[in-house]
Amino acid sequence: MQELGTTLSSFIINEQRKLGSSAGGTFTGLLNDITIACKGIANLVNRGDLAGVLGVTDSENSMGDVQKKMDLIADQMFIDALENNGHCAGMASEEQDDVIHTSEGKQRGHYLVTFDPLDGSSNMDINMDVGAIFSILQAPEGIINPTAEHFSRPGTEQIAAGYCLYGPSTMMVLTTGNGVNGFTLCSSIGEFILTHPNMAIPEDTAEYAINASNQRFWEKPVQDYIADCVQGEEGPLGKRYNMRWVAAMVGEIHRILCRGGIFLYPIDERNREAGGKLRLLYEGNPMAMIVEQAGGAAYTGYERVMEVKPNGDPHQRVPVIMGSKNEVMKVMEYHKNA
Ligand code: AHG
Ligand code: MN
Ligand code: MN
């Protein structure tokens, strides 16, 4: 008989034991709630049109994005999974205007969870990669209904972060601040099994990901860096680059964790007033924690993403430049020299 392998729950229980954490049980329970949401979403994403989950709704989220049917379904699945088992004190979702309180009468736990329930949702209707991103913070003591202010904490305070990639296989990638581990969903037993222990991002790369159609809006340092990449071995960077754009941050960051690379969604003339395109709490901070824990770097161009001071708005945006450490630091040099 084939060996079962290490399941995500047993991995977390063992990790908590090693750390001597007294909160081990409830933290493991919280991660279990998240994996239940992700398994449910994976099932629907996988069935696609057979499950009637493609297409758009007639609503928009607070950032003005038209919500896909699956954005709303995935959002509700996260909320249901998180509020039913008493591990979570409050939630903030990319798809909800306000932070979400645990319903009256339900038990409240020790953690705050922020999530992007369906990342890359424009890929949903074309059967391409989508994902989910989440971040976990310790809940403040003695607060029954946490407010936006309680979620507005720098990324350095995250105690765990992860993403689930719904690709050819469904994968959960997780950090609790002690490295990054990847688990593949085994559909026959319904469990995430450890397949990618200690994921490490190569320090060097010649692969970049940026939406090049925005080129004319970029700031000079990004203009200069990409222009130098395009010149390949004849340019100042002295190597031939490759480019990829999945249009789902989960897909880009997963590729970078597997083989290196750099992902940029920089500040530009269109998004300057908003502060960037991607969301600090739902995308920037969790992905920055994962990338740094895998040995990579995550900056805005000016500072570490995880040190960006939250402004109290749970939908705050942030520019991101993250991935292979030496390449990210090279882009930082372009910013310093500008
Ligand atoms: P979401 O689907 O959660 O709104 O996120 C989409 C984000 C990110 O995942 C992706 O890298 C980027 O937006 C794609 O942007 P473009 O539309 O510029 O391709
Ligand atoms: Mn997203
Ligand atoms: Mn989303």
Side-chain angles (χ1 to χ4, degrees):
M1 191 180 117
Q2 201 193 329
E3 208 193 325
L4 201 57
T6 305
T7 64
L8 197 149
S9 340
S10 62
F11 178 86
I12 298 298
I13 291 169
N14 282 329
E15 214 180 42
Q16 295 291 305
R17 243 185 232 138
K18 274 190 263 165
L19 294 172
S21 165
S22 55
T26 59
F27 184 67
T28 309
L30 178 78
L31 286 174
N32 203 43
D33 298 342
I34 293 173
T35 59
I36 287 170
C38 292
K39 284 180 201 173
I41 296 165
N43 179 44
L44 291 180
V45 165
N46 185 256
R47 288 168 58 211
D49 220 10
L50 297 174
V53 295
L54 303 190
V56 292
T57 65
D58 51 15
S59 59
E60 285 184 359
N61 64 19
S62 61
M63 290 156 289
D65 305 331
V66 174
Q67 291 172 305
K68 300 263 176 193
K69 268 192 210 168
M70 197 58 213
D71 280 319
L72 298 187
I73 295 169
D75 189 44
Q76 197 56 50
M77 288 177 101
F78 258 89
I79 297 169
D80 290 347
L82 282 166
E83 80 165 2
N84 280 332
N85 298 313
H87 303 119
C88 179
M91 299 158 250
S93 163
E94 180 189 276
E95 298 304 337
Q96 302 274 339
D97 294 353
D98 301 315
V99 301
I100 308 153
H101 297 139
T102 310
S103 306
E104 273 313 308
K106 300 234 168 161
Q107 203 190 323
R108 284 165 170 73
H110 303 293
Y111 302 101
L112 300 182
V113 183
T114 73
F115 51 87
D116 173 356
L118 195 72
D119 174 65
S121 57
S122 72
N123 281 352
M124 191 57 214
D125 292 355
I126 56 165
N127 195 17
M128 293 288 152
D129 289 351
V130 288
I133 311 173
F134 59 89
S135 155
I136 302 176
L137 294 160
Q138 199 81 50
E141 288 288 331
I143 304 287
I144 293 183
N145 284 325
T147 62
E149 179 202 341
H150 298 113
F151 287 86
S152 287
R153 313 226 299 262
T156 46
E157 290 188 25
Q158 296 172 105
I159 56 173
Y163 63 76
C164 188
L165 169 64
Y166 312 111
S169 350
T170 295
M171 278 196 71
M172 181 75 83
V173 172
L174 182 69
T175 180
T176 56
N178 186 26
V180 179
N181 291 281
F183 303 81
T184 304
L185 183 62
C186 172
S187 56
S188 52
I189 58 166
E191 290 282 356
F192 282 101
I193 306 293
L194 179 65
T195 47
H196 294 55
N198 302 317
M199 296 178 88
I201 301 176
E203 290 191 346
D204 293 297
T205 186
E207 194 161 71
Y208 66 86
I210 192 165
N211 184 342
S213 68
N214 296 330
Q215 185 192 1
R216 68 189 190 281
F217 304 113
W218 298 335
E219 288 183 331
K220 188 169 183 318
V222 175
Q223 294 266 5
D224 290 350
Y225 167 67
I226 297 295
D228 290 349
C229 291
V230 171
Q231 283 189 61
E233 53 275 72
E234 282 141 38
L237 296 170
K239 55 184 171 183
R240 182 176 296 193
Y241 280 80
N242 190 16
M243 198 208 83
R244 288 286 180 272
W245 189 249
V246 178
M249 189 187 196
V250 170
E252 319 283 2
I253 298 302
H254 189 69
R255 182 185 63 250
I256 289 170
L257 258 85
C258 292
R259 68 175 187 211
I262 183 168
F263 168 72
L264 305 94
Y265 218 115
I267 196 95
D268 69 33
E269 285 316 315
R270 295 165 324 149
N271 65 35
R272 181 176 301 284
E273 212 172 310
K277 152 119 189 184
L278 300 177
R279 279 89 3 161
L280 179 63
L281 297 192
Y282 315 118
E283 295 165 323
N285 277 339
M287 289 309 207
M289 182 177 183
I290 295 166
V291 165
E292 286 194 7
Q293 282 290 321
Y299 284 83
T300 63
Y302 302 94
E303 61 185 323
R304 250 174 101 208
V305 170
M306 286 203 286
E307 287 177 0
V308 169
K309 200 166 171 290
N311 63 12
D313 173 7
H315 298 292
Q316 179 177 353
R317 299 185 189 239
V318 67
V320 303
I321 299 170
M322 53 172 80
S324 291
K325 193 182 256 167
N326 293 341
E327 199 66 21
V328 171
M329 295 329 283
K330 228 177 259 174
V331 181
M332 288 301 287
E333 284 302 311
Y334 282 78
H335 284 82
K336 280 180 201 141
N337 297 336

